[in-house]
Amino acid sequence: MTATVVEALRKGADPATVARMLESCADAAQGLCNDRPYACAAGCPHCCVLNVAVLLPEAMTIALWLRERLSGTELAGLQMQLATHRSWARWMDDDERILKQMFCPLLDRWEACSVHHVRPLSCRAITSLDSQSCKDAFFPTVTDEDRMVPADLFRKVVFDAAFTALASGLCQVGLDDRSIELGTGVLAFLEHPEFVERFLAGERLPQALWL
């Protein structure tokens, strides 16, 4: 997968090429996980309260995908939601986010993922084998008990490996290979469209995004 990423990006890094490359990585990982059972479904947002790390091209692709599909009013509203979420949740650990129900601002009004088609590798890695266990584990309560959810660990290993391979490929072609919190990264590319060209040109985005 790393070799595929390097080959694709060395020919010329543009938004369309990056989007196709990300889709190829996701499809390759999914190909190893086909026909594996899971209980996840649209409108089941329990795990969408957790911190999600994405690579910069993932955040960029999601931001561009949203910009193409939302009206100006919708986009402005989403940016406000992302900014509010960043202000409140960016330093919270998973337990705090669960307790305060800081759900991903990219969920739609039906509690489904609004960017499901271009969702990050980290989101694709997580699947539950029992929806009730998810509901119980992510219930907002203070407890010393471990929150246990039966999950497909093979799938997580595969998509985590895809994430690592993608990062390695970015590094090899001289692109910024740092990860960033999902909402913070998407908001950065929405608020600063110039970051797209800067990233594709091999520049490192401002360190302030991580502070």
Side-chain angles (χ1 to χ4, degrees):
M1 188 177 293
T2 297
T4 299
V5 171
V6 170
E7 181 181 3
L9 297 182
R10 276 186 174 159
K11 293 178 180 178
D14 59 75
T17 297
V18 170
R20 288 193 299 270
M21 179 267 297
L22 292 176
E23 184 176 11
S24 176
C25 288
D27 288 347
Q30 180 59 41
L32 297 174
C33 301
N34 285 336
D35 300 323
R36 297 183 68 83
Y38 57 88
C40 306
C44 177
H46 304 301
C47 69
C48 299
V49 73
L50 300 175
N51 281 292
V52 173
V54 301
L55 293 165
L56 291 174
E58 295 184 287
M60 180 188 79
T61 298
I62 292 170
L64 293 175
W65 193 87
L66 288 166
R67 190 174 290 280
E68 288 179 358
R69 287 161 177 78
L70 299 183
S71 67
T73 301
E74 291 171 329
L75 200 59
L78 176 59
Q79 288 183 216
M80 289 183 62
Q81 293 176 27
L82 287 165
T84 299
H85 187 269
R86 178 186 60 186
S87 297
W88 281 98
R90 69 182 305 180
W91 302 120
M92 291 182 183
D93 62 21
D94 286 341
D95 286 339
E96 289 179 286
R97 289 173 67 128
I98 292 169
L99 184 61
K100 296 182 180 180
Q101 294 292 273
M102 298 300 297
F103 283 98
C104 176
L106 296 174
L107 291 176
D108 63 23
R109 59 180 173 173
W110 298 282
E111 297 188 324
C113 178
S114 66
V115 296
H116 190 265
H117 181 71
V118 289
R119 66 196 186 283
L121 293 170
S122 293
C123 292
R124 298 171 191 261
I126 303 300
T127 52
S128 169
L129 302 180
D130 181 75
S131 57
Q132 185 60 47
S133 294
C134 275
K135 185 176 181 179
D136 295 341
F138 294 110
F139 185 78
T141 185
V142 176
T143 177
D144 292 329
E145 297 180 3
D146 291 332
R147 298 174 184 265
M148 305 297 290
V149 177
D152 185 348
L153 298 183
F154 175 82
R155 182 184 183 90
K156 187 173 189 312
V157 167
V158 168
F159 277 91
D160 284 352
F163 185 99
T164 301
L166 173 57
S168 179
L170 294 172
C171 182
Q172 289 185 37
V173 297
L175 296 180
D176 197 335
D177 64 338
R178 290 176 293 175
S179 62
I180 193 168
E181 192 273 329
L182 170 60
T184 300
V186 172
L187 180 61
F189 281 102
L190 288 175
E191 288 185 330
H192 301 279
E194 72 276 11
F195 282 178
V196 173
E197 289 188 11
R198 291 178 61 179
F199 169 74
L200 295 175
E203 294 184 35
R204 290 177 72 80
L205 297 191
Q207 185 63 27
L209 294 175
W210 284 265
L211 300 178

